[in-house]
Amino acid sequence: MSEFVFGTHNAAFVQVMYEQYLRDPASVGEEWRKLFDNGKTAELPIIPSDRAEVIGRREKGDGPPIPAESPSPISHLPAGATPITGPAARLVTNMTESLTVPTATSFRDIAALTLDARRKALNAQLAQLGPTGKKVSFTHLIAFGIIQAVKQFPVMTHAFQEIDGKPHRVTPQGIGLGLAVDVERKDGSRGLVVPVIKHAEAMDFAAFHQTYEALVEKARTNKLLPDDFAGGTIQLTNPGTIGTVASVPRLMKGQGSIIATGAIRDIAGAKVMTISSTYDHRIIQGAESGSFLRRLEGLLQGEERFYEQVAESLGVTGRGEKGDVLSAAPSRPSPLSPLPPAADDLKHIAAATALVRAIRRLGHRAAHLDPLGSPPPGDPSLDPGPLGLTPDAMARIPADVLRCYVPAATLADALPQLTATYCGTIAYEVEHIASHEERVWLRRVIEAGEHRKPLSADDKRSLLSRLTLVDTLERFLQRAYLGQKRFSIEGVDMTVPMLDTALELAAAFGAHKVVMGMAHRGRLNVLAHVVSLPYEAILEEFEGGGAGSASDPEAVTGDVKYHLGAEGTYKTTKGKEVTVSLLSNPSHLEAVNPVVEGWTRAEQTDRSGAEAKYDVSIVLPLLIHGDAAFAGQGVVAETFNLARLRGYTTGGTIHFITNNQIGFTTDPRDGRSTDYSSDLAKGFDVPIIHVNADDPEACIAAVRLAWMYREKFHGDVVIDIVGYRRWGHNEGDEPAYTQPLMYEVIKKTPPVREKYAAQLAEGLVTPEAAKQEAEAAYAKLTEVQQALKTRRSRSSGEERRIVRAAVAEPETGVAADVLTRLNEGLLAVPDGFTVHPKLKRQLERRRETIVQGGMEWAHAEALAFGSLLLEGSPIRLTGQDVERGTFSQRHLVLHDPTNDNRWAPIQHLPGARAPFELHNSALSEAACLGFEYGYATAAHPALVLWEAQYGDFANGAEVIIDQFIVAGLAKWAAPSTPARASSATSRSAPRATSASPTAPRRRSTSTCCVVRRGTRRSGRSS
């Protein structure tokens, strides 16, 4: 009997059987006895030649015994060495021979979630059929999958054999799957046998399962027959049952391939199994082995109706999970279902995909965002019923097929979690984002809940304390200064703790400053608790301090208290200090937006060398909007449009909409054409997070997600804080005149502090402790007010006045040799750079005019800029088409016509000690000029210029000109310095000036801007 019949892996087992036969022929089965009686033992490798060798004694009629050799007086064996004999020696020989087979191994990690779910479903349904004893294992399904895959890749069953000294490929007729079975021998030792399921390609799963189980039972009861080992063409071994993750089994002589499965393990919440294919590299190539494993993976994921075929052969449906009512499959199609089972499956998967997409895209329409309790509008696409997704159907759909990131095996398990994620008190709009990477990242983070980690007990107590301070300040002001306007934060109280969280995260990631802009609502509370302005400074505004007479041109007239800005220091819970600048803002609610962005960009820019360097991590911009103004004010869109532009980006702004659900007295349906006030941001690919303002922990989670996105993608994020306005537009208004029903509900709605205190009363903060904390905060404010009143009664009440000081006109002349060198530097280009032929002639004339006269404006302007750079004065020039100039006069940036490379000579001047920032702007006036105003105020002493394309374009920036540049000095003590046009012989570098207050202090501002006006006829600037 040849080893190619048994397989060398079974030789040790055959040897045991033969030894047992020699001891007692009746002890082995009839088939084995016939085999050995026929004398076909000559081909069995390394087996005893007679019974005497086995039993250790002579039998009657045998020849004389061979005398044993006398033991050597000196043993050469090391201590503890024992000879390997019998089956173990056969195993040694087999392993040694296996080293002569040139093998290679392919590995593939396969997601096992579908395999596990389908196996459970099948077994659940088999159990419903009664005590049949059938049970489907992982190995059953994998082995059957191997057979189906081999049908498409039969090369995996080919073997190598030398015949007459020549190599041959042996192509078997059919598939014989060898199953490696671990068995216990009579002496208690363990061994491996590999019985073969012959002609497996002709079996359905039921027949395969029956044959498989019969062979394994025979192996474990030592009843395998010689024929059970014959015909193997591919082998499966499963070391995963003992926890092995992956293995490379030895390929025995005469085998083509052996497949090994590893243990199913959990990786980041996903079930994964490693399958390896070890093959004879003389006849099987790596690509063939890899393709085979890929096909096997596809089958185990359910392709080609793999599980449906398994189920049909067993007489069940093959679907179902965890307690579902399951039944045997009908013998013929139901007359109620016009589609075959495969089409039903596809229909359900398509419906499930649509449902998951709808939840992600429209789940916010079913979210409970209104603290006043209005029901969400919902959307029909969120209902699985009309899609035909019954509980049974959803239990049959693996969640991983739908690319869900919630921890669930099936859609039935995932749906409640997806609904809770997208339709709770926090909701998301991210599916409009064009970037696939950003969408997938956001889905993963949102569905995995990475931003919603529960707060610790200490964090919850701290959050309640913060809400107590916010609420107490408003209650005190309402009682102490009844009727005075303050634009209370009540109804969106969580704005302050959300800002706290943003500052904490910014500081943790290296930011040392936060620049903020906001409208009037809630401003006083933010000044007190985020900017750290003392209560005394705020109360003094109510007591009438600060402003002078409007009729006195030298007096600082001041502004209403809820327009004023300040700068202070915020100390984080980790002890880090962050500077917070809240910029002053006029009644034009959103006008401050671009000012904040420009200010931030200036703070992020290092202008100490010849090249400007940007670091968006060191300063964070925050903008707080009103819901009506966000949708209604055009400067909001203009500012969003700057966010991703090279010359304007600040690395991502976090926007908070304090959503009162009303604009002064105007209902949303009359104030905007969109469902949400935040919808504008969708046009700029900005993720939007909606959150119920009365769910404090959801509000904190919203900020965490916003920060995570900003940190990873450096883009803007909008948080829509859906709350209400406890009083009217101001505290002197009667809101019930126009919104009577809404304000009836508001009267009955307790503040968020009370709600959260009640929530924490269950074991964290007693009602008595919460009450005492609020009373202590109120008492502190009363004490501050009394001290202020006493101090004011003793003070002279001097008004703040504008101090005017004469400044000598600076010397602006530049030496001729310096201008000549500058001129050459402004005309220089690197080797290999081609200047446009027409432009080259125009620029070359500048070599003549600098000597002969007749210099054009743009030429003189460039020389003036260059001379400032040599002296170390940073310059920023932006505007509409400033690089070339409206009238094709400037050409500070050159473009190579052969490859479109850019070169700006003014940014590479020899000897320059300061950077020249030069950027074409968006076709915007208000946002662009506001940005440069903000930049100039923070970039002292840089020269900052903005240029409109034509003179009348500046009209679009009139709010910035009137409210900030012109009136800033009188209203906020913020000096503004107008720029003068520059030339080579008469040039100016206006310096921004600012006050030097101590923190916390009112922010002073200044700016430099140019409105370039031109005439079309002359083609020259004037």
Side-chain angles (χ1 to χ4, degrees), residues 370-373 491 692 694 723-724 726 742-752 754-755:
D370 186 4
L372 301 180
N692 186 316
D694 275 8
Y724 57 90
R726 183 160 294 279
M742 181 182 193
Y743 272 85
E744 278 300 313
V745 176
I746 290 174
K747 285 179 183 178
K748 300 173 184 176
T749 302
V752 64
E754 291 184 19
K755 291 183 178 180

Side-chain angles (χ1 to χ4, degrees), residues 142-156:
I142 294 168
F144 191 66
I146 289 172
I147 294 168
Q148 308 313 308
V150 166
K151 290 180 183 179
Q152 299 180 38
F153 295 91
V155 68
M156 300 302 294

Side-chain angles (χ1 to χ4, degrees), residues 805-841:
V807 179
E809 184 71 19
E811 176 58 45
T812 61
V814 178
D817 61 324
V818 175
L819 291 177
T820 302
R821 289 198 307 272
L822 277 173
N823 196 57
E824 288 303 315
L826 291 168
L827 296 173
V829 297
D831 292 340
F833 188 92
T834 302
V835 180
H836 193 285
K838 290 174 64 176
L839 180 58
K840 185 175 184 180
R841 292 192 296 271

Side-chain angles (χ1 to χ4, degrees), residues 430 433-444 644 685-687 709 713-716:
V430 300
I433 297 174
S435 167
H436 176 75
E437 179 189 4
E438 292 184 21
R439 286 197 313 274
V440 171
W441 182 88
L442 283 163
R443 289 172 193 160
R444 180 182 60 77
R644 297 179 187 265
D685 272 4
V686 174
Y709 176 85
F713 296 108
H714 303 299
D716 286 22

Side-chain angles (χ1 to χ4, degrees), residues 108-131:
R108 194 172 187 91
D109 285 338
I110 294 177
L113 191 61
T114 301
L115 174 64
D116 183 37
R118 292 302 186 88
R119 180 189 65 86
K120 290 177 181 178
L122 286 165
N123 286 329
Q125 293 185 71
L126 289 172
Q128 295 290 329
L129 298 179

Side-chain angles (χ1 to χ4, degrees), residues 574-883:
K574 303 295 184 183
K576 294 184 177 181
E577 292 188 347
V578 181
T579 301
V580 183
S581 292
L582 177 61
L583 305 191
S584 300
N585 190 34
S587 293
H588 295 79
L589 305 182
E590 303 291 336
V592 77
N593 295 358
V595 180
V596 167
E597 300 298 340
W599 192 303
T600 301
R601 173 76 175 219
E603 297 272 14
Q604 293 173 342
T605 305
D606 179 1
R607 293 172 295 278
S608 60
E611 182 180 353
K613 298 177 181 178
Y614 309 101
D615 185 352
V616 299
S617 68
I618 61 175
V619 184
L620 171 68
L622 297 177
L623 287 173
I624 305 173
H625 312 267
D627 51 319
F630 190 91
Q633 296 286 303
V635 72
V636 177
E638 288 190 28
T639 306
F640 267 111
N641 189 48
L642 301 180
R644 297 179 187 265
L645 302 185
R646 181 178 53 187
Y648 296 86
T649 184
T650 54
T653 300
I654 299 180
H655 301 259
F656 298 89
I657 300 176
T658 51
N659 190 343
N660 303 312
Q661 306 187 63
I662 189 173
F664 206 147
T665 65
T666 303
D667 291 321
R669 63 177 177 269
D670 297 319
R672 62 175 184 262
S673 296
T674 58
D675 289 336
Y676 295 103
S677 59
S678 58
D679 282 347
L680 167 73
K682 291 183 182 178
F684 298 95
D685 272 4
V686 174
I688 299 168
I689 308 164
H690 304 281
V691 65
N692 186 316
D694 275 8
D695 186 342
E697 294 182 27
C699 289
I700 299 301
V703 180
R704 287 178 183 161
L705 177 60
W707 176 262
M708 292 167 69
Y709 176 85
R710 196 254 183 191
E711 181 66 18
K712 183 169 182 63
F713 296 108
H714 303 299
D716 286 22
V717 191
V718 170
I719 303 177
D720 178 23
I721 312 170
V722 183
Y724 57 90
R725 189 184 66 194
R726 183 160 294 279
W727 311 104
H729 178 65
N730 60 62
E731 287 66 29
D733 259 359
E734 175 48 74
Y737 291 159
T738 51
Q739 281 79 30
L741 298 181
M742 181 182 193
Y743 272 85
E744 278 300 313
V745 176
I746 290 174
K747 285 179 183 178
K748 300 173 184 176
T749 302
V752 64
R753 186 199 71 82
E754 291 184 19
K755 291 183 178 180
Y756 197 53
Q759 183 179 329
L760 299 190
E762 301 175 3
L764 282 180
V765 180
T766 65
E768 293 75 17
K771 182 180 179 181
Q772 289 172 4
E773 186 175 34
E775 290 173 347
Y778 197 95
K780 180 181 178 180
L781 284 165
T782 302
E783 181 182 341
V784 170
Q785 183 194 38
Q786 293 306 315
L788 174 64
K789 287 179 177 291
T790 301
R791 182 181 63 77
R792 282 184 58 81
S793 67
R794 298 171 182 170
S795 66
S796 61
E798 293 182 358
E799 296 178 349
R800 290 180 294 169
R801 301 182 67 79
I802 299 171
V803 178
R804 301 186 184 275
V807 179
E809 184 71 19
E811 176 58 45
T812 61
V814 178
D817 61 324
V818 175
L819 291 177
T820 302
R821 289 198 307 272
L822 277 173
N823 196 57
E824 288 303 315
L826 291 168
L827 296 173
V829 297
D831 292 340
F833 188 92
T834 302
V835 180
H836 193 285
K838 290 174 64 176
L839 180 58
K840 185 175 184 180
R841 292 192 296 271
Q842 180 179 332
L843 295 176
E844 284 296 329
R845 286 199 297 269
R846 294 185 177 184
R847 285 194 170 94
E848 302 171 2
T849 55
I850 196 171
V851 177
Q852 301 172 2
M855 187 179 294
E856 293 183 338
W857 173 280
H859 187 189
E861 177 192 65
L863 292 170
F865 288 156
S867 66
L868 290 173
L869 298 177
L870 294 183
E871 293 176 2
S873 294
I875 303 173
R876 175 179 167 91
L877 171 62
T878 63
Q880 297 157 352
D881 310 292
V882 295
E883 293 181 359

